[in-house]
Amino acid sequence: MALPLLPGNSFNRNLGKDKFHKSQHFGYSNDISMLLGEEKPGIGGEPLPGQKLKPKFSVYPKGIGSDAPSWVAFEKQVLSFQAYFEEEVNQKREETYRIRQCKIYFYLEDDTIQVVEPQVKNSGIPQGTIIRRHRIPLPPPNEDQFYKVDHFNINKDIVFYSRTYTIVNCDEFTRNFLRKLGVRINPPGTFPKDPYSTIRTKMEDNMQPLRPYERIDTLKQFLDHDRQVLRFYCMWDDSPTPFGDIRNLILHYYLADDTIELIDIIPPNAGRDTVPVFLHRGKLPKNGPVKMYKPGEITARTVLNVFGPMGHGGRYILDNLKTGAVHQEFYKDSDLTIGGIINVWGRKIILCNCDEFTKNYYRTKYGIEDFTPVEYKASPPPTIERKIPPYNGFGSEEDSLCSCMGILPKPPQRDFRKFMEKDRNGLESNVLRFVAKLDTDNPIDKDRKFILSYNLSDDTIVVFEPPQRNSGILGGKFLERCRVKKPGQEIFKSELSEYFKAEDLYVGARVNLQSHNFILVDADEYVFNYMEKNLNQFPMADLGTVVSKIRSIVESRSRELNQLFAANDTESRNEMQYETFRNLLVQISDGKLTEHEIMTVGRHYSIRENPEVDISVLLSVAQEQLKKKTFEDFSKLMDACVYNDRERKGSLSLQETKTIFKAFRIPLADDILRVIMDKYTDNDGQISYAKLVAALNWRENPVPAQQKTPIKYDPDWSGQTTSHAVKSVNYLLLLDDLFGQQD
């Protein structure tokens, strides 16, 4: 018995409590004040008087099951139940109720339910989704709760919105899932019979005729195989007949009605008329051609006896045995095989191959696996060699050849791609120039000097003779620009003549130009550089090939060769003049080395002096470019250099300086900027950025403009020695490459 609630008769219930917070019952949702929940506890989390709180625990005990939320753990997992409901039918004598079968889908991820009724043909009832997917509340008085997975079982009635559904069965996944939950599954039930369906079945059975009836049903075959066509590749050998040849055909067999169609494949320029089809679509008899039958002799049905008139009141009897009927055999799909021969109205057609759909059809229906094709393509006709008539001397050979290639002659086309690649572009002239002399014993012509220019863009040659004072020869153009044929070729022939190419020209080569024998004795610097860049085209400029050739000549004379070079080195500096070096190589090789190969060796082992770059000229050019581009951010450039100089040494590395200059987008060429930075770089690789920026500042430290001669292409080169000429050669490096390290 409880004590009365009076002072001194009750205990302090707050003793030992440490939570006195008040739960929040009201809040805002979408900026609207509303009651958040009626299940909120009282002060300190204790339930209010008369309040029943729902248990907040899972179906599984703690530590068992997946920790993932339901929408992750049960994603795309659905329970499927087979059910039915009974629908009343009013004002109909045939039926008072109707059984409608449906499926119930329970989505585990969010406890939503969907009810779908499968479509039944000719039912007259709008079917499909009965209840769309959503959470369905329980029937009253528990309408505040929703259906869970534990509410479902087989042979159990559930109510969805006042309609009772009886669950009859479920699928295997649903059965296994419920068993894992510990649900004892009831045995499956059956659907009750629908009265109206029973009546309709009896009506259809009564509609079947009791008398003998010959049923010709082609609709099923049409519905099953509509738009399905077998395709075979065939051949018809009509060569025995006059003007006949081998014809390639395509056979189409229509599975919908067993008809056959043949299409003729006519190649171009076959000389035959292009017809749409070879055989129109229809049933193909096996024993064609057949005789002509009388009208009524071939009929779909055979009338055995007739009683009374054929109109009203008469009746007839059909002969199911078809006594006296004409039976025709037509080709079926079973008669068509690869390698087989079919009779197409007296023509023997060979089936050679088929497409992939046809192979799958025979593989599925008849179990055929061998589809080895038969060679059906006729051998191509022998190609007739085109004979080109010989050159007649009018125009160029290419022009005469184009007049033989077609009825309408076209002008010969030049190699446009080669022209665009090898045309002159800036300082890249793409012209190989050689110094040539006449190979003659005439004392007057022996001292004449010529400049031979070879244009790489169109393989043309120009020969020019520079005028010499007091020689008695005017000089000037010796050979107009044209392509020059190699000597010793027949003039009037069918093949095109061979012309001089760039590979045929090198220092020391002997060429015959228009019955004049020339010896190429020298070349400009561009020729040597071009040949060294294209070693696959000019093997005489390949140092490795030349050294291997020299090694094969003097392989057993290493000591003799060392003594010979040492005897000609009077100053013992391991170097000698180029002329002496050249004479020694000619003596050693016994004339097996060409002049160009000797020059290649001399250029590689030469001793050249690198001319000092005038820094004042470069600064003048750089300030002129900065002035034209209106670049004046030298103060900001200096601040950026000081900011990156963390140690305040007054210098930066080359990479840091390049990065800063790139960030400011200095409008100078990379080569000019690199050379200027090298001038202000110390031995440790550090750049004095203060001096560099001050030198480029054209506003405060202008450099006076200087007279400078730009490097340009000299079209009037007359064969004089240039500044790049080889003067002395280090022969010791050559001996090391030939025989290894020498003492």
Side-chain angles (χ1 to χ4, degrees):
M1 181 176 180
L3 296 176
L5 189 58
L6 293 174
N9 294 329
S10 62
F11 298 97
N12 189 0
R13 298 182 181 180
N14 295 329
L15 291 177
K17 294 181 62 176
D18 56 356
K19 294 182 180 180
F20 299 95
H21 66 276
K22 184 178 180 181
S23 301
Q24 182 179 354
H25 288 255
F26 294 91
Y28 290 91
S29 177
N30 296 330
D31 297 334
I32 299 175
S33 59
M34 59 184 299
L35 181 64
L36 294 180
E38 298 178 355
E39 299 180 1
K40 295 289 185 178
I43 296 176
E46 294 184 356
L48 298 175
Q51 185 181 26
K52 294 181 181 180
L53 298 180
K54 294 182 179 179
K56 296 182 179 180
F57 53 83
S58 174
V59 177
Y60 297 99
K62 187 175 182 180
I64 300 177
S66 176
D67 294 335
S70 61
W71 53 272
V72 174
F74 300 111
E75 183 184 6
K76 297 182 180 179
Q77 295 186 12
V78 184
L79 305 183
S80 177
F81 299 93
Q82 299 178 11
Y84 71 91
F85 65 93
E86 183 177 325
E87 183 183 29
E88 294 184 359
V89 179
N90 300 321
Q91 299 179 356
K92 285 195 71 174
R93 182 171 56 86
E94 292 84 2
E95 54 178 345
T96 58
Y97 65 93
R98 182 172 296 170
I99 302 298
R100 299 178 62 174
Q101 302 179 9
C102 58
K103 286 190 175 182
I104 300 175
Y105 297 105
F106 184 86
Y107 295 85
L108 296 171
E109 58 184 14
D110 53 0
D111 294 344
T112 55
I113 300 174
Q114 182 184 10
V115 181
V116 178
E117 182 180 8
Q119 296 284 347
V120 178
K121 188 177 180 181
N122 297 329
S123 65
I125 303 173
Q127 296 170 328
T129 302
I130 299 176
I131 301 177
R132 61 178 177 82
R133 177 181 173 181
H134 67 288
R135 297 180 68 190
I136 300 178
L138 294 174
N142 300 321
E143 61 271 8
D144 57 338
Q145 302 178 21
F146 297 93
Y147 276 100
K148 302 282 182 157
V149 67
D150 50 2
H151 291 99
F152 291 88
N153 202 339
I154 300 177
N155 280 336
K156 184 177 181 180
D157 294 341
I158 56 177
V159 179
F160 294 156
Y161 298 115
S162 302
R163 176 177 287 176
T164 303
Y165 294 84
T166 303
I167 299 177
V168 176
N169 205 345
C170 63
D171 58 359
E172 193 65 26
F173 171 78
T174 305
R175 193 183 305 274
N176 295 334
F177 187 84
L178 293 178
R179 283 174 179 170
K180 291 180 181 179
L181 292 181
V183 178
R184 178 175 294 179
I185 302 175
N186 300 328
T190 57
F191 290 102
K193 293 184 178 180
D194 186 12
Y196 184 72
S197 300
T198 306
I199 294 174
R200 289 197 57 179
T201 304
K202 292 181 179 180
M203 291 176 59
E204 291 178 358
D205 295 340
N206 293 332
M207 291 174 62
Q208 299 295 332
L210 298 178
R211 57 185 174 82
Y213 182 74
E214 181 182 359
R215 183 174 180 84
I216 302 176
D217 184 13
T218 58
L219 180 61
K220 184 179 185 303
Q221 181 182 1
F222 173 78
L223 295 177
D224 293 343
H225 301 287
D226 186 26
R227 298 186 180 183
Q228 295 183 8
V229 183
L230 305 181
R231 176 180 294 179
F232 290 89
Y233 301 98
C234 317
M235 180 191 67
W236 173 38
D237 189 2
D238 192 32
S239 55
T241 60
F243 309 105
D245 56 357
I246 296 177
R247 309 278 287 272
N248 295 325
L249 308 173
I250 295 180
L251 185 144
H252 289 159
Y253 183 88
Y254 295 86
L255 296 173
D257 52 0
D258 300 328
T259 54
I260 293 178
E261 176 187 43
L262 281 172
I263 297 176
D264 193 2
I265 303 176
I266 301 177
N269 301 325
R272 296 197 297 266
D273 294 335
T274 304
V275 294
V277 291
F278 184 80
L279 175 67
H280 286 282
R281 178 178 175 179
K283 289 192 175 183
L284 181 63
K286 292 184 177 180
N287 301 320
V290 296
K291 67 174 184 176
M292 298 296 293
Y293 293 97
K294 298 179 181 179
E297 193 171 356
I298 299 177
T299 58
R301 291 183 175 88
T302 304
V303 179
L304 189 60
N305 288 314
V306 177
F307 296 91
M310 292 298 296
H312 180 69
R315 59 191 179 92
Y316 59 91
I317 299 176
L318 298 180
D319 184 9
N320 289 331
L321 300 177
K322 295 185 178 180
T323 305
V326 177
H327 297 278
Q328 287 184 305
E329 294 185 5
F330 297 97
Y331 279 103
K332 302 289 184 180
D333 55 351
S334 58
D335 302 323
L336 305 179
T337 57
I338 295 179
I341 300 176
I342 62 174
N343 180 16
V344 180
W345 301 102
R347 298 170 178 82
K348 303 299 181 182
I349 306 297
I350 303 175
L351 305 181
C352 303
N353 203 352
C354 61
D355 61 356
E356 194 63 29
F357 172 77
T358 307
K359 294 178 182 178
N360 294 333
Y361 176 80
Y362 280 95
R363 190 181 293 113
T364 304
K365 185 175 181 180
Y366 297 104
I368 299 176
E369 295 293 341
D370 185 13
F371 298 98
T372 305
V374 178
E375 185 64 30
Y376 66 95
K377 291 187 178 179
S379 58
T383 56
I384 301 175
E385 183 182 0
R386 176 180 292 181
K387 295 183 179 181
I388 305 298
Y391 175 57
N392 54 10
F394 293 95
S396 63
E397 295 182 357
E398 291 79 4
D399 193 8
S400 299
L401 181 62
C402 289
S403 64
C404 302
M405 295 300 177
I407 299 176
L408 298 176
K410 297 180 181 180
Q413 301 294 327
R414 66 188 303 180
D415 192 348
F416 186 75
R417 182 176 180 179
K418 181 179 180 181
F419 173 76
M420 294 299 295
E421 291 178 354
K422 300 298 182 180
D423 192 21
R424 179 175 178 178
N425 183 16
L427 298 179
E428 220 30 63
S429 63
N430 286 309
V431 177
L432 306 181
R433 291 183 298 179
F434 299 88
V435 180
K437 290 186 177 181
L438 287 172
D439 186 10
T440 179
D441 296 333
N442 190 347
I444 299 176
D445 296 339
K446 198 170 186 179
D447 297 333
R448 297 172 66 181
K449 184 187 296 185
F450 300 89
I451 303 298
L452 188 148
S453 301
Y454 183 87
N455 298 277
L456 295 172
S457 60
D458 53 1
D459 301 330
T460 55
I461 296 177
V462 179
V463 180
F464 178 80
E465 183 179 6
Q468 300 180 15
R469 297 183 63 183
N470 301 326
S471 64
I473 300 174
L474 295 177
K477 189 173 291 186
F478 185 82
L479 177 65
E480 289 283 350
R481 181 174 177 176
C482 63
R483 295 199 307 167
V484 181
K485 297 181 181 179
K486 292 183 178 181
Q489 301 185 70
E490 185 182 353
I491 299 177
F492 304 105
K493 61 182 184 302
S494 301
E495 297 80 11
L496 295 177
S497 300
E498 294 184 10
Y499 294 87
F500 279 103
K501 300 292 184 182
E503 299 86 349
D504 303 324
L505 304 179
Y506 54 89
V507 179
R510 298 175 181 270
V511 294
N512 189 314
L513 305 178
Q514 305 293 350
S515 302
H516 291 80
N517 296 323
F518 288 91
I519 303 176
L520 306 183
V521 295
D522 200 359
D524 62 354
E525 186 67 19
Y526 179 80
V527 173
F528 293 106
N529 292 333
Y530 181 82
M531 289 185 176
E532 290 171 0
K533 293 178 182 178
N534 301 274
L535 297 179
N536 56 344
Q537 190 177 1
F538 303 98
M540 70 288 300
D542 189 359
L543 179 66
T545 304
V546 177
V547 171
S548 300
K549 186 176 181 181
I550 298 175
R551 187 183 296 111
S552 63
I553 296 174
V554 297
E555 186 174 3
S556 60
R557 296 185 296 168
S558 61
R559 183 177 298 275
E560 178 187 352
L561 195 62
N562 289 331
Q563 295 176 359
L564 184 62
F565 275 102
N568 287 271
D569 185 10
T570 57
E571 299 180 1
S572 299
R573 295 167 52 189
N574 295 332
E575 61 182 47
M576 62 180 61
Q577 296 294 324
Y578 173 76
E579 292 297 332
T580 307
F581 179 78
R582 181 254 177 199
N583 295 333
L584 288 177
L585 286 184
V586 171
Q587 178 184 350
I588 293 170
S589 63
D590 298 331
K592 296 181 180 179
L593 291 178
T594 63
E595 195 69 28
H596 198 110
E597 292 174 341
I598 297 175
M599 287 185 174
T600 301
V601 177
R603 284 172 57 84
H604 181 74
Y605 299 103
S606 63
I607 302 174
R608 302 186 185 183
E609 297 180 357
N610 295 326
E612 187 69 22
V613 180
D614 191 357
I615 188 62
S616 60
V617 177
L618 287 178
L619 289 177
S620 177
V621 174
Q623 288 189 2
E624 186 68 24
Q625 293 184 8
L626 293 174
K627 186 184 298 183
K628 288 182 179 180
K629 299 294 184 179
T630 65
F631 181 82
E632 300 181 4
D633 295 339
F634 297 104
S635 60
K636 295 182 180 179
L637 181 62
M638 186 66 185
D639 294 341
C641 294
V642 172
Y643 176 78
N644 285 274
D645 186 11
R646 303 295 184 181
E647 300 178 359
R648 296 296 183 267
K649 298 185 300 183
S651 61
L652 294 172
S653 64
L654 178 61
Q655 186 61 34
E656 291 178 344
T657 309
K658 285 184 178 180
T659 304
I660 295 172
F661 275 62
K662 287 292 184 182
F664 277 82
R665 297 182 180 179
I666 304 296
L668 288 177
D670 293 340
D671 296 338
I672 297 177
L673 187 61
R674 176 178 53 80
V675 175
I676 295 176
M677 287 183 178
D678 291 342
K679 292 298 179 180
Y680 292 94
T681 306
D682 56 9
N683 296 331
D684 297 335
Q686 299 292 322
I687 297 177
S688 178
Y689 56 83
K691 296 180 180 180
L692 177 61
V693 175
L696 294 177
N697 193 342
W698 57 272
R699 181 67 72 181
E700 298 179 0
N701 305 314
V703 178
Q706 300 185 11
Q707 185 68 26
K708 49 187 180 298
T709 304
I711 301 174
K712 63 179 182 178
Y713 168 72
D714 184 12
D716 299 328
W717 178 68
S718 59
Q720 291 85 359
T721 303
T722 61
S723 60
H724 302 280
V726 178
K727 295 180 181 179
S728 58
V729 180
N730 189 343
Y731 67 89
L732 187 60
L733 297 177
L734 174 61
L735 295 178
D736 292 344
D737 291 342
L738 287 175
F739 309 110
Q741 191 71 24
Q742 300 291 327
D743 296 334

